[in-house]
Amino acid sequence: MSDVDFLKPVPLGRRRWSLREDVLVEADDDALVVVTRWGEYRVDDPGPLVRESLRRMLLGPVSLANVLPGGGPAHGAGGVPARSGPGPA
């Protein structure tokens, strides 16, 4: 890789998002509370996409293309990576 390649912007599909290690997400049936060192943020009626995105971001960096619906041509329904190669679907 040359110095010029290193300076090129990263395509959106490759950017990674995560929550800091000191962030806590508390969940109940109708809300999420995100607890940070700056305060608590309540998310009322989060959909399954928000819940799953935050759950994954607690585990480490994620590409939004892997979470968002229609994440790209390599993704199936709901942004789930499409299977490739042999094996059960």
Side-chain angles (χ1 to χ4, degrees), residues 13-84:
R14 293 188 188 168
R15 291 186 183 162
R16 304 291 188 248
W17 297 79
S18 66
L19 298 173
R20 294 171 43 107
E21 290 181 8
D22 59 351
V23 172
L24 174 66
V25 178
E26 298 174 341
D28 61 29
D29 291 337
D30 61 346
L32 295 174
V33 177
V34 181
V35 181
T36 73
R37 66 183 185 174
W38 299 283
E40 294 183 5
Y41 302 91
R42 183 177 176 88
V43 181
D44 291 317
D45 298 321
L49 183 63
V50 172
R51 287 182 182 272
E52 179 63 10
S53 299
L54 289 175
R55 185 191 70 78
R56 289 185 188 189
M57 285 190 268
L58 281 170
L59 300 174
V62 297
S63 170
L64 293 183
N66 290 333
V67 179
L68 298 175
H75 291 79
V80 177
R83 294 185 61 86
S84 63

Side-chain angles (χ1 to χ4, degrees), residues 1-7:
M1 170 177 10
S2 72
D3 290 338
V4 174
D5 290 335
F6 179 73
L7 298 175

